[in-house]
Amino acid sequence: MSAVLMLSTLSGCNIYNKVVETANNTVSKIGNIVHKPAKAQTAEKVTPVEKKVEKKKEEVKNTVVAEKSKEKVQEKIKEKEKSVEQNVAEIKDKQSSEKDVAVEAVIPSDREEFTDEVEEKAYTSGQLAKGIIKGDWAIEMVNGKGVVGEDAPFIKFVPEEGRIYGNNGCNVINGEFKYNVADSTLTFSNLASTMRLCNKEGLTDYEINAALDLTRYYELKIVGDDYYMYLLDGSHREVMSLMHQNFQFLNGTWNVSAINGAEVDEPDMHLVVDVDEGKLHGNTGCNILNGNME
């Protein structure tokens, strides 16, 4: 293959420029393939519209990335909430099991244990034999005369407080008492009562108050199934006799089955008796009931 370069007769610089121009435009023919010099690439001009389009694309891209990040955060939050809920459930189960254990620990395993607990609160023959004074005692006789009054006279001994509470057949009484099991001494002090006008028929409240003032000693006896207390003056003369009243069997919940002989069909109606506290609670079937007992 040969190439023929035809040059015109030129002079000086024109000859050089012509050679360069001719060389740059040379077309080389090799077989059937024609090679031409590649044109220099020029930077394309970007229009304002295209800039806006590119900017929008970038915003969309950033939005997508942000949404994906947000989804990941939400997933992590849900995982954390689920973990917290599981922990709370475990804690509740643990507390529930501990509560069950505590309840089982205080519930008597059988009826005999429950009976023993009641007997500890009740006045027993063993306590009587030791000379212990406590609980409710009904006044039966004063200076050899049977008690007659508008209300049933009684005395409640509370050794933990060193006080008595009761009724002298007309008025409410209260005061202090001291006793000694070693020598069977018993005295009452600081006695006070309400001032209600009382019926003068039969034994009066004054006679009961006077007998308490005279008391210096006491005796405890068992007569049949009943417990008796005898109050004695300074010469060991009996001034009052009392019989113990065991009201512990009243403790607990009682369902109301009838009122004034009329049957009651109300499952929620009940009374809760607390003898030691002298309190009464309950439900009338509609309202809550609270009160004191004497």
Side-chain angles (χ1 to χ4, degrees):
M1 181 181 58
S2 61
V4 179
L5 179 61
M6 298 298 295
L7 299 175
S8 302
T9 304
L10 297 171
S11 64
C13 292
N14 290 331
I15 295 174
Y16 173 79
N17 291 335
K18 190 67 174 176
V19 170
V20 172
E21 182 181 353
T22 302
N24 286 336
N25 294 321
T26 299
V27 178
S28 300
K29 295 182 179 180
I30 302 174
N32 295 325
I33 300 175
V34 177
H35 294 278
K36 292 184 178 180
K39 294 183 179 179
Q41 294 183 352
T42 58
E44 296 182 358
K45 187 176 181 181
V46 180
T47 64
V49 174
E50 290 175 333
K51 286 184 179 180
K52 289 183 179 180
V53 171
E54 290 298 326
K55 185 177 181 181
K56 194 65 177 178
K57 287 181 179 180
E58 189 67 24
E59 290 177 355
V60 172
K61 180 180 178 181
N62 293 335
T63 302
V64 172
V65 172
E67 289 295 330
K68 288 183 178 180
S69 299
K70 185 177 179 181
E71 290 176 0
K72 289 182 179 180
V73 171
Q74 292 294 335
E75 290 177 359
K76 289 184 179 180
I77 292 174
K78 289 181 180 180
E79 290 177 359
K80 191 67 176 178
E81 289 177 346
K82 186 176 181 180
S83 177
V84 171
E85 289 176 357
Q86 290 176 346
N87 291 337
V88 171
E90 291 175 359
I91 292 172
K92 287 184 178 179
D93 292 339
K94 184 177 180 181
Q95 290 177 340
S96 178
S97 62
E98 289 176 352
K99 183 178 180 181
D100 293 340
V101 171
V103 171
E104 291 176 1
V106 298
I107 294 177
S109 58
D110 54 39
R111 182 67 182 179
E112 184 176 354
E113 291 184 14
F114 178 75
T115 303
D116 292 341
E117 184 180 347
V118 172
E119 288 179 353
E120 288 179 2
K121 294 182 179 180
Y123 189 60
T124 65
S125 59
Q127 293 173 328
L128 181 142
K130 294 178 181 179
I132 295 174
I133 300 176
K134 72 173 188 177
D136 296 89
W137 297 79
I139 301 173
E140 293 204 324
M141 299 187 72
V142 175
N143 294 320
K145 294 187 294 186
V147 172
V148 178
E150 298 177 17
D151 300 317
F154 72 95
I155 298 176
K156 180 182 182 66
F157 292 83
V158 184
E160 297 85 359
E161 301 176 5
R163 297 191 61 81
I164 63 166
Y165 304 91
N167 190 295
N168 59 16
C170 176
N171 284 292
V172 174
I173 61 174
N174 65 78
E176 300 174 359
F177 79 100
K178 291 182 180 180
Y179 78 105
N180 190 323
V181 297
D183 57 9
S184 298
T185 55
L186 171 64
T187 57
F188 299 94
S189 61
N190 298 321
L191 293 172
S193 70
T194 55
M195 303 296 291
R196 192 178 77 174
L197 183 63
C198 304
N199 192 337
K200 298 299 181 181
E201 294 182 5
L203 188 65
T204 66
D205 58 330
Y206 170 79
E207 291 175 280
I208 291 177
N209 292 349
L212 294 176
D213 285 334
L214 292 172
T215 299
R216 296 295 181 270
Y217 300 95
Y218 73 99
E219 290 181 356
L220 297 172
K221 294 182 180 180
I222 299 178
V223 180
D225 295 329
D226 298 321
Y227 302 159
Y228 282 88
M229 180 192 303
Y230 303 95
L231 306 186
L232 314 173
D233 64 11
S235 61
H236 286 82
R237 181 180 65 88
E238 180 185 317
V239 295
M240 185 183 296
S241 64
L242 308 92
M243 185 176 72
H244 182 260
Q245 305 292 303
N246 184 6
F247 297 112
Q248 293 297 325
F249 72 93
L250 292 174
N251 279 325
T253 303
W254 297 79
N255 292 325
V256 179
S257 59
I259 299 177
N260 294 329
E263 292 187 3
V264 174
D265 185 17
E266 181 57 63
D268 294 331
M269 187 179 294
H270 65 274
L271 298 175
V272 180
V273 178
D274 189 333
V275 172
D276 296 325
E277 295 294 330
K279 300 293 184 179
L280 181 69
H281 313 282
N283 191 309
T284 64
C286 176
N287 295 303
I288 301 299
L289 173 69
N290 293 293
N292 299 322
M293 299 187 305
E294 294 183 356

